[in-house]
Structures are given as C-alpha cells and as structure tokens.
Amino acid sequence: SSQAQPRPPPPPLLYEAEGVSTQDRASEGPHNIITQSRCASQSLEFTVEMARRHQQEGVALCRCWEGRPCYWSSSANDSDQSSEWILLRLRSPVCLVTQACLHPYRAWWQPADTDGKYPVYAPKEYQCEFGYFGHDVQRPFGSEETPSMAKKRAREGWGRSDVHVRTSRVGVAHSASGTPIRLEKPLLVLGGHVMIRMYGKQQRQTGQIANEYYTCVQHFELSGGPVRGLTCTVGGGGGGGGG
C-alpha cells in the first residue's frame, strides 16, 4: 500500500507589501522582508573573524552588494530618533497570530565600524498594529496599485483606518538574529493588515562621509494562520488594546 504523502506547509501569513514610510532605493523595497533570504540565513552565524577570513579568501558573504538586495532600507536620516513603518497585507481579513519577529539586516559587505563590528541597521523599538489601513498609506516606491488595493478603494474607500489591536512595544537587540514579540495566548486579529512601527535608529552607515542613520529589515516573521469562514467590516473609530 502506498504511504500517505506529507501535507505541504501552509502558505505564509504575510501576503504582500502595501505601504512604507521611506525607502532608499527602488530595489530595497518592503516586499523583500516577507521571505527569509538565503544569503542572510547562511551568514547569520558568522563571527567577525569568520567574515574577515572569507573576505580575505575572496568568498562572497552576501549577494546583496551585487545589486540584488534581500532587505528593505529606509532613507537616510540625521536623527537616531526618527521612526519608520511598513504596511503588509495578510492572507485573510481574519487571522490568528501567535508570534511576530523582526530581523534587522546586517551589512557584511560594508566596512566594519569603530568597534570592529559589521553594521546592523536595527531600530531601537518596534510594535505591531493589526487592523485595516486604508487612508493615505504610501505604496512601495515605484510600484503600481495592486488589484486588491483597487478593489478596496472602490468598495470601502481610503477614508479611514481602524486599528483592531496593538502589541506591546519592545526593545530591539542590536543584532541580526531577530527580536520577537511573544504573546501570552494566540491573538485573533481583524482587518487583514499589519503595520510594523519602528522607533528610533541604532546604526549609522559605515564608510560614508555623511554618516547618516538607517533602518534596514531583512525579514519580518509572523506566525499563525488565516481563519476561514469569518469576515469583518470596517467600523467607525480606531483604537484597541494589546497583547
């Protein structure tokens, strides 16, 4: 008798990027953070000594320097207190979320800083807002309006946003390994969007005369799944407590 085939893994909860506060280059868009890149995952455990040895031997640490970025980058800012946000669409208007995790980007291809460490462009803090965001969000740089956005514009308009729930605001480690937002219990979220709000900046760009601050994210991980058979409508007002 034939053995039962294992079930394929469920699709990721994150579907597409629909808005961003700022963006440095067209190729460094927020769509890059939905999946984990191979180059970042392969270099995650590198030490500074390993990275230098690879560079001396001519081994590429990350392909991002070849013009194929696997991360989102904000535009430059003089202030380490400046904030950023990314708006992502979920696969369903009703979802069950168990954990979020933000992975800042480490630029192995840039010069090490004065402490001998390669730059990690982490925010100081972040939190997640779940709900419907439909008013004046900016689309990713250089992108066209998606069919889903056009349908929402026609059906619901851009007139208001509704935050269903906010998570706690957590400090981000100055590391590429990721900072999770752990929930005490699974969170039922409505609205079909997650807004990632990132507060402050920890890293100046190395090797640049301007020496400006950036936030760069390699991957945003959202654990959970869609809830089928339920729908929600956009109501008046906003607000919502959180996790």
Side-chain angles (χ1 to χ4, degrees):
S1 61
S2 60
Q3 294 182 346
Q5 295 296 320
R7 291 184 178 182
L13 189 54
L14 300 173
Y15 184 66
E16 64 182 354
E18 288 198 350
V20 65
S21 54
T22 67
Q23 185 173 320
D24 197 37
R25 294 185 296 167
S27 58
E28 298 172 331
H31 59 279
N32 291 332
I33 76 170
I34 292 177
T35 57
Q36 176 80 280
S37 79
R38 173 186 287 186
C39 59
S41 59
Q42 287 179 339
S43 63
L44 186 61
E45 302 302 325
F46 280 176
T47 63
V48 172
E49 292 73 20
M50 292 169 61
R52 288 175 176 167
R53 185 167 64 250
H54 277 65
Q55 289 176 330
Q56 291 171 356
E57 296 172 354
V59 178
L61 300 176
C62 178
R63 295 292 179 182
C64 293
W65 63 274
E66 295 179 337
R68 297 176 300 201
C70 65
Y71 56 87
W72 160 79
S73 174
S74 71
S75 60
N77 200 293
D78 293 331
S79 173
D80 66 345
Q81 299 302 312
S82 56
S83 297
E84 306 288 346
W85 57 263
I86 294 175
L87 178 65
L88 302 177
R89 182 182 165 213
L90 308 180
R91 284 197 173 270
S92 172
V94 183
C95 295
L96 199 65
V97 174
T98 56
Q99 181 174 284
C101 190
L102 185 78
H103 297 261
Y105 178 67
R106 185 196 307 272
W108 291 108
W109 49 278
Q110 291 183 352
D113 61 19
T114 54
D115 295 326
K117 298 179 180 179
Y118 289 87
V120 178
Y121 293 98
K124 294 181 179 180
E125 296 179 303
Y126 86 105
Q127 73 176 154
C128 297
E129 296 178 350
F130 297 92
Y132 173 78
F133 296 84
H135 61 302
D136 56 354
V137 297
Q138 301 178 39
R139 292 193 296 275
F141 183 81
S143 73
E144 299 295 330
E145 184 174 63
T146 64
S148 64
M149 293 170 70
K151 288 180 181 179
K152 287 178 180 178
R153 180 186 294 277
R155 183 177 68 248
E156 300 168 351
W158 290 131
R160 58 184 181 270
S161 294
D162 290 276
V163 177
H164 175 236
V165 65
R166 293 182 178 90
T167 69
S168 57
R169 186 163 156 172
V170 301
V172 178
H174 198 187
S175 165
S177 59
T179 298
I181 295 178
R182 294 186 175 88
L183 305 172
E184 295 182 359
K185 57 184 179 181
L187 189 64
L188 185 68
V189 298
L190 309 178
H193 292 97
V194 56
M195 177 77 80
I196 311 164
R197 296 200 179 274
M198 294 161 281
Y199 305 98
K201 293 175 170 63
Q202 299 192 50
Q203 182 71 55
R204 294 181 186 268
Q205 185 167 2
T206 57
Q208 299 291 321
I209 297 177
N211 212 22
E212 295 170 309
Y213 288 95
Y214 289 83
T215 298
C216 299
V217 175
Q218 187 277 315
H219 181 45
F220 177 69
E221 181 181 0
L222 194 64
S223 303
V227 178
R228 305 299 184 186
L230 294 179
T231 59
C232 65
T233 58
V234 179

